[in-house]
Amino acid sequence: MEILRSVCPRCGKPSAGLCNECRAAETEWFTCDPRVEIIYCPVCDSRKQGKTWSDTTIDRQALLHELAFSALHFHPDVRRPEANFTFRETNPNRTDAFADVSGLLYGVQVAGTCATRIVWIKEQCDRCNRISGGYYEGIIQMRATGRRPSVREIDRASRITEEIETSLQESGERLSFVSKIEATKDGLDIVVGSNHMGQILSGQIAAALGGRISTHPKLVGEKDGKKLYRITFLVRLPRYQRGDVVVGRGRYMEVRSATQGQLQVFDLLEGVNRIVREDEAERLVGNVGDAESALVAYLYDDIIGILDPKTQGAVECRALPWLHPEEGGTVQVIRDGETEQFVLVG
């Protein structure tokens, strides 16, 4: 009979030293912190870790699991650790978490339970503190030459502002915020939390609406030996905006872009693009964004018969070589209040 030379000194099972079951039984394979603290902003739900604030990108339930799991500390030899949690809200600032914990230690399945308390500490974050204190670094002033920016331009600039703010904050620039958007008698003022945002935002508005930018910095103090400036970004829009229909050179033209005293236009008579001087535009008729839809009643040679969208009376317009309407279809028209005629724009 073969004599067993190696047995577990604790349980007597065959083993070269302490067996895996006994090793697992004698090892403290996990510990659980009795308390976990989270500092968060009650206004925007941002989270503070150390001295740094960051936006929370997960919902409260997922955050609860993350916080509860952070209270668990596993032995380095544990494999495939798992924890199932249940939560109980004891008050608005306290959440008790109960965990069923399991894992694999030295090839042996182990399990246990523990409890921890999650403490929610409210503190106003750096961004909300600046906003509530009226802090800002830049102002974008959108103005137009010889006119007030249109409602369409103001709406577009406001949408661009929201998109830029979201994009910058998602990329980690927490202090790039908009503290105020205000329509004034002269145009639009946008107050921002950082000059970097002011630079990007003014550039995007000018690119979208066709304008030029000038900057006007003002020294407001020093911090840590650095001079602090507030910058006004003036976005000056041209006299005519994209889509304006103007009269020039004896014909109607649609403005496609405007830069440095020149207009790139679409000749509504011949259907070709042209470049003209801004001073060649004699007057403004309207904007294609405000065009009306008119029913085409008949076509005859070089005549288009349409129905006035308001009175439904028949009106004849000259056919255009670039426009190919069909009877029963529609065309886009603008009323020229000075000549009392319709301008076909599409």
Side-chain angles (χ1 to χ4, degrees), residues 138-178:
I139 301 176
I140 295 94
Q141 293 182 333
M142 189 176 78
R143 304 291 185 263
T145 302
R147 63 182 178 89
R148 185 180 185 273
S150 68
V151 173
R152 188 177 296 103
E153 289 171 318
I154 289 175
D155 288 345
R156 181 72 186 281
S158 298
R159 289 197 303 272
I160 291 172
T161 300
E162 293 175 2
E163 292 168 0
I164 293 298
E165 181 182 35
T166 300
S167 175
L168 288 175
Q169 292 198 10
E170 286 180 348
S171 68
E173 293 193 26
R174 289 180 42 79
L175 301 182
S176 289
F177 58 84
V178 177

Side-chain angles (χ1 to χ4, degrees), residues 24 29 35 66 77 130 138 176 183 201 208 252 260 296 324 331:
W29 62 276
R35 176 186 175 101
E66 178 185 309
D77 292 332
R130 288 191 175 195
S176 289
L201 182 54
Y252 295 103
Q260 298 180 346
V296 178
H324 307 286
V331 291

Side-chain angles (χ1 to χ4, degrees), residues 101-157:
V101 190
S102 62
L104 201 63
L105 180 64
Y106 309 130
V108 178
Q109 189 70 37
V110 288
T113 61
C114 73
T116 188
R117 171 162 290 181
I118 300 171
V119 180
W120 304 85
I121 301 173
K122 297 178 181 179
E123 183 179 319
Q124 192 175 51
C125 71
D126 50 358
R127 180 174 58 210
C128 292
N129 183 54
R130 288 191 175 195
I131 293 173
S132 63
Y135 179 90
Y136 68 96
E137 289 187 1
I139 301 176
I140 295 94
Q141 293 182 333
M142 189 176 78
R143 304 291 185 263
T145 302
R147 63 182 178 89
R148 185 180 185 273
S150 68
V151 173
R152 188 177 296 103
E153 289 171 318
I154 289 175
D155 288 345
R156 181 72 186 281

Side-chain angles (χ1 to χ4, degrees), residues 243-305:
D244 276 350
V245 175
V246 299
V247 176
R249 297 184 178 181
R251 61 186 66 199
Y252 295 103
M253 300 177 289
E254 179 190 333
V255 176
R256 295 292 171 85
S257 66
T259 54
Q260 298 180 346
Q262 288 188 325
L263 304 177
Q264 181 181 340
V265 300
F266 178 71
D267 189 321
L268 291 171
L269 178 62
E270 298 183 9
V272 297
N273 292 316
R274 301 184 185 279
I275 294 179
V276 301
R277 297 194 314 274
E278 187 179 279
D279 57 15
E280 291 184 81
E282 300 165 11
R283 61 184 177 87
L284 174 67
V285 177
N287 190 281
V288 295
D290 302 318
E292 301 173 87
S293 183
L295 179 67
V296 178
Y298 60 87
L299 302 171
Y300 181 75
D301 290 339
D302 62 347
I303 298 298
I304 301 176

